[in-house]
């Protein structure tokens, strides 16, 4: 069951992967062809490295070195470890859908009685029996990115969620990715289609079971938000501190649609989240916000591409990074306003707080504007905590750590506040507090 | 025992000596006024007492209740009863005033080995002090000093002083930026805190404040030293004749 991507002998690796993983990869015929093309694209490009512009701060040839073998389908013991991890990371008031080692785990999921407005099936089912349009949508992510291509080639399972028109889904849907412990890679892809005028909240979290260490998560998400619909989206990266999490998202908004997304990264050794958000319908709104809380030698890269193709849309990006020890946070935010996308209102603000001399932050904002009647702006700052504020708090009795914690909470609060769902906002605040408390 | 003893204090900032052998003794129950021209080192003295980083003490000592204050962290000084009402209180966006007050009060109590205030007790206390200082509840929900007027910031300092009940209060130009009515309210707040075991050091440029907060002693600072000390009448004298005579003496 070992899938080894040899870095030198690509031809051999190519055939070997498909031979070895064939019975694990759903879909035949056209799907198998698409997988083969994707794998070829990946092998042509190899692992991204610093001379690939989009990846210049996250050189996977150095940081990750190799793609681990495909994880085995979880056995009873793996499911048990996953169940234990799930207990520790459970979120109240959500409908849980669980993937263990990249495979849907029905017994840990709450997919019965979701009501007629919410359809959920696995990626496996969709690739084996779904219609051509859905399958095409599942292959929409662009293989020009080597890691997307790898994911397209090897996606094993995931969830396909369809929300009916006009549905208001009361409880957030929560996709939990659990690594049960093997030093292996999981390849997942999920899709959510939000019907016209529907609204739903999707949470994705990534966790490792006790003892899980150097596993790799290779995930992607395809999102289609219909006209007048709203998707609230929260990602929580709480992977093991030796894990890798390489995730991509492709989001398309219809007209008068609303996408509010927030990502919080406290886990994993190396993570990359790359999202392409296409604002394709007039009158739409995007809020994409995030917080990185890093220490040790953690490296977290958020790369966002906002594509304003039509008039009268707005986007806001608020990103905060707090970096201790030798942590490294990367934020790349590219906004393109295409010709004709008049009255676009796009703003991006990213701030990094360095708590140690060796902490590192890279901000790369890029605005490309091809329309003349727009309001666009970006700002980026990197710095330490303000000494005069720290002294004021200490003069009022707070210890150095307490004063720092209060200021850091305020700093990340600006991004966390943007989460619309009360319970999830509180959850993010609590996660930040736990991170601060762990600093001692 | 004296509450505060500053003995022959010499302080440098960025290689430049600002205080050149300053001495001051404050006993419990006393109110001292410090007056002096701009740049004479009044705020520097208050910062060094509160423990602000960036000042190098090159000589002398400061004892607080007999202990070496200079060895303590700013938060230790605070929980032992030193309070500085800042000349320029900072704004702290994103930290609600209420949260800040409770965190600070409980941090001080914890450092002293006292139990934390319960939420209802805390709220009751803050509300009553805020009301006496004409501070609306709405202000307490805002970020610390964010969007506060100059006068409101000063009143927020007095509010903290009343809440924390320190034994030494240093008020650095609490009258600057206050209109006449606000000045009276703030001064009443300070006077309400006068007690036999608490001392105040009031830094001001104006005799007017001392009509409201009547000092036991007045000190004139010039060029980093106390050049003259006397009773409250010294303030009147200064108002009439200015600092020129003392600058010559310094
Ligand atoms: N951080 C600093 N760096 C350089 N010089 C400083 C610094 N802080 C204070 N000084 C200098 O020390 C001197 C005393 O300043 P200080 O603020 O103590 O005066 P002050 O008596 O409070 O004046 P004012 O009445 O204007 O408030 C001034 O000449 C000032 O420029
Ligand atoms: Mg001053």
């Amino acid at each position: 069951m070992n899938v080894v991507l040899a870095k030198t002998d690509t031809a051999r690796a190519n055939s070997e992967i498909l031979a070895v993983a064939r019975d694990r990869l759903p879909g035949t015929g056209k799907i198998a062809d698409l997988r083969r093309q994707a794998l070829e694209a990946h092998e042509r490009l190899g692992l991204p490295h610093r001379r690939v512009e989009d990846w210049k701060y996250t050189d996977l040839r150095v940081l990750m070195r190799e793609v681990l073998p495909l994880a085995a389908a979880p056995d009873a013991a793996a499911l048990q470890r996953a169940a234990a991890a799930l207990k520790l990371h459970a979120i109240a008031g959500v409908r849980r859908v669980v993937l263990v080692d990249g495979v849907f785990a029905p017994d840990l999921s709450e997919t019965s009685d979701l009501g007629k407005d919410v359809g959920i099936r696995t990626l496996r089912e969709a690739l084996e029996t779904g219609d051509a349009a859905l399958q095409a949508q599942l292959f929409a992510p662009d293989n020009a990115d080597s890691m997307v291509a790898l994911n397209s080639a090897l996606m094993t399972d995931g969830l396909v969620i369809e929300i009916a028109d006009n549905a208001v889904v009361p409880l957030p849907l929560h996709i939990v990715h659990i690594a049960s412990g093997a030093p292996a890679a999981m390849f997942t892809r999920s899709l959510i289609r939000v019907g016209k005028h529907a609204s739903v909240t999707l949470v994705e979290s990534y966790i490792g079971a006790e003892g899980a260490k150097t596993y790799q998560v290779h995930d992607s998400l395809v999102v289609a938000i219909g006209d007048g619909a709203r998707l609230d989206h929260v990602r929580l990266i709480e992977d093991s501190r030796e894990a890798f999490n390489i995730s991509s998202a492709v989001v398309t908004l219809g007209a008068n649609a609303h996408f509010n997304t927030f990502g919080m990264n406290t886990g994993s050794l190396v993570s990359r989240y790359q999202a392409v958000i296409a604002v394709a319908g007039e009158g739409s709104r995007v809020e994409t916000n995030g917080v990185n809380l890093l220490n040790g030698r953690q490296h977290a890269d958020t790369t966002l591409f906002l594509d304003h193709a039509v008039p009268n849309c707005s986007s806001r990006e608020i990103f905060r990074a707090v970096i201790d020890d030798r942590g490294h946070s990367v934020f790349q935010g590219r906004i393109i306003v295409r010709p004709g996308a008049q009255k676009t209102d796009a703003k991006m603000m990213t701030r990094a707080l360095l708590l140690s001399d060796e902490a590192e932050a890279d901000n790369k904002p890029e605005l490309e504007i091809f329309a003349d009647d727009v309001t666009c702006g970006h700002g980026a700052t990197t710095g330490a905590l303000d000494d005069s504020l720290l002294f004021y708090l200490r003069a009022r009795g707070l210890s150095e750590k307490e004063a720092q914690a209060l200021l850091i909470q305020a700093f990340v609060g600006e991004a966390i506040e943007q989460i619309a769902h009360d319970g999830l906002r509180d959850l993010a605040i609590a996660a930040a507090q736990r991170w601060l408390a762990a600093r001692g | 025992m004296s509450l505060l003893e500053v003995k022959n204090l010499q302080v440098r900032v960025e290689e430049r000596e600002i205080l050149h052998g300053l001495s001051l003794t404050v006993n419990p129950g006393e109110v001292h006024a410090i007056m002096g021209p701009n740049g004479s080192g009044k705020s520097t003295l208050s910062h060094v007492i509160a423990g602000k980083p960036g000042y190098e003490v090159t000589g002398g000592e400061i004892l607080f209740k007999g202990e070496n204050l200079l060895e303590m962290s700013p938060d230790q000084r605070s929980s032992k009863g030193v309070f500085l009402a800042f000349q320029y209180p900072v704004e702290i966006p994103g930290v609600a005033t209420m949260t800040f007050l409770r965190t600070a009060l409980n941090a001080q109590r914890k450092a002293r080995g006292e139990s934390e205030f319960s939420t209802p007790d805390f709220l009751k206390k803050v509300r009553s002090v805020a009301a006496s200082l004409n501070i609306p509840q709405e202000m307490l929900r805002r970020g610390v000093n964010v969007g506060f007027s100059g006068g409101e910031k000063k009143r927020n300092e007095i509010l903290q002083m009343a809440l924390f009940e320190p034994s030494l209060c240093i008020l650095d130009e609490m009258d600057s930026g206050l209109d006449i009515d606000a000045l009276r309210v703030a001064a009443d707040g300070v006077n309400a805190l006068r007690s036999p075991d608490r001392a105040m050091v009031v830094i001001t440029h104006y005799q007017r404040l001392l009509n409201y907060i009547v000092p036991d002693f007045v000190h004139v600072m010039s060029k980093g030293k106390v050049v003259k000390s006397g009773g409250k009448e010294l303030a009147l004298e200064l108002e009439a004749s200015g600092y020129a005579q003392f600058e010559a003496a310094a």
Side-chain angles (χ1 to χ4, degrees), chain B residues 120-155:
Chain B
D121 287 352
F122 169 78
L123 290 176
K124 216 162 103 191
K125 199 170 154 92
V126 175
R127 291 211 176 104
S128 80
V129 178
S132 73
L133 289 164
N134 282 349
I135 296 176
Q137 292 297 308
E138 176 274 322
M139 257 172 68
L140 301 178
R141 284 192 289 270
R142 278 193 247 160
V144 176
N145 292 323
V146 175
F148 287 23
S149 72
E152 286 168 343
K153 286 181 184 164
K154 294 301 174 77
R155 271 184 283 161

Side-chain angles (χ1 to χ4, degrees), chain A residues 391-392 394-398, chain B residues 52 75 78 84 104 108 157 160:
Chain A
F391 174 61
Y392 188 85
R394 297 199 65 193
R396 295 303 182 247
L398 277 70
Chain B
K52 184 171 178 164
D75 39 307
S78 164
L84 168 61
Q108 292 180 26
E157 297 291 289
Q160 293 172 49

Side-chain angles (χ1 to χ4, degrees), chain A residues 352-369:
Chain A
L353 188 57
L354 306 179
L355 299 180
S356 96
D357 291 342
E358 292 177 304
E360 218 184 314
D362 286 299
N363 283 316
K364 195 175 84 177
E366 278 180 285
L367 282 180
E368 294 169 64
I369 301 171

Side-chain angles (χ1 to χ4, degrees), chain A residues 167-424:
Chain A
V168 176
V169 183
L171 295 181
L173 303 171
H174 181 196
I175 302 178
V176 192
H177 295 255
I178 309 177
S180 75
M186 43 222 96
F187 299 87
T188 45
R189 179 165 295 180
S190 294
L191 178 147
I192 182 167
R193 274 182 185 167
V194 188
K196 289 180 180 164
H197 305 285
S199 71
V200 63
T201 298
L202 175 68
V203 185
E204 296 180 281
S205 61
Y206 301 83
I207 60 180
E210 204 187 328
K213 290 197 169 108
T214 56
Y215 61 89
Q216 294 177 355
V217 175
H218 297 269
D219 187 33
S220 58
L221 180 70
V222 178
V223 177
I225 307 174
D227 294 348
R230 170 173 183 149
L231 174 64
D232 285 277
H233 176 225
V234 173
R235 296 181 85 239
L236 303 167
I237 316 292
E238 297 175 340
D239 277 308
S240 125
R241 299 185 53 102
E242 292 171 51
F244 291 74
N245 185 317
I246 310 295
S247 300
S248 311
V250 179
V251 182
T252 314
L253 286 88
N256 301 308
H258 187 172
F259 179 45
N260 178 306
T261 176
F262 174 88
M264 181 140 177
N265 195 326
T266 53
S268 77
L269 178 63
V270 174
S271 70
R272 159 91 164 191
Y273 177 57
Q274 44 185 18
V276 178
I277 302 172
V279 189
E282 279 197 52
S284 288
R285 205 164 119 200
V286 175
E287 287 127 19
T288 155
N289 308 302
V291 168
N292 278 352
L293 295 169
L294 309 176
N295 55 28
R297 307 193 69 147
Q298 285 180 298
H299 176 110
D301 175 335
T302 304
T303 296
L304 302 177
F305 174 30
L306 249 145
D307 187 346
H308 280 280
V310 295
N312 298 309
C313 293
S314 72
S315 61
R316 290 285 177 279
E317 296 174 49
I318 301 176
F319 192 80
R320 298 281 180 272
V322 181
I323 315 148
D324 206 348
D325 306 328
R326 303 181 65 174
H328 185 182
S329 179
V330 177
F331 178 83
Q332 305 188 99
R334 187 169 152 223
I335 299 175
I336 180 162
V337 180
R338 296 192 187 268
Q342 303 295 8
K343 307 282 182 202
T344 292
D345 174 4
K347 287 192 186 66
M348 169 164 61
M349 185 66 210
T350 156
R351 292 174 65 194
L353 188 57
L354 306 179
L355 299 180
S356 96
D357 291 342
E358 292 177 304
E360 218 184 314
D362 286 299
N363 283 316
K364 195 175 84 177
E366 278 180 285
L367 282 180
E368 294 169 64
I369 301 171
F370 302 101
D372 51 14
D373 185 14
V374 300
T375 319
C376 294
H378 69 79
T381 65
T382 299
L385 285 169
D386 184 323
D387 285 335
S388 65
L389 304 195
L390 279 174
F391 174 61
Y392 188 85
L393 294 173
R394 297 199 65 193
R396 295 303 182 247
L398 277 70
S399 70
E400 188 171 11
K401 280 273 152 72
E402 287 169 327
Q404 289 180 349
L406 203 59
L407 294 179
I408 293 168
Q409 252 172 277
F411 178 80
V412 297
E414 287 177 68
I416 295 177
E417 270 168 27
Q418 310 299 320
I419 301 173
H421 188 281
D422 291 342
L424 295 173

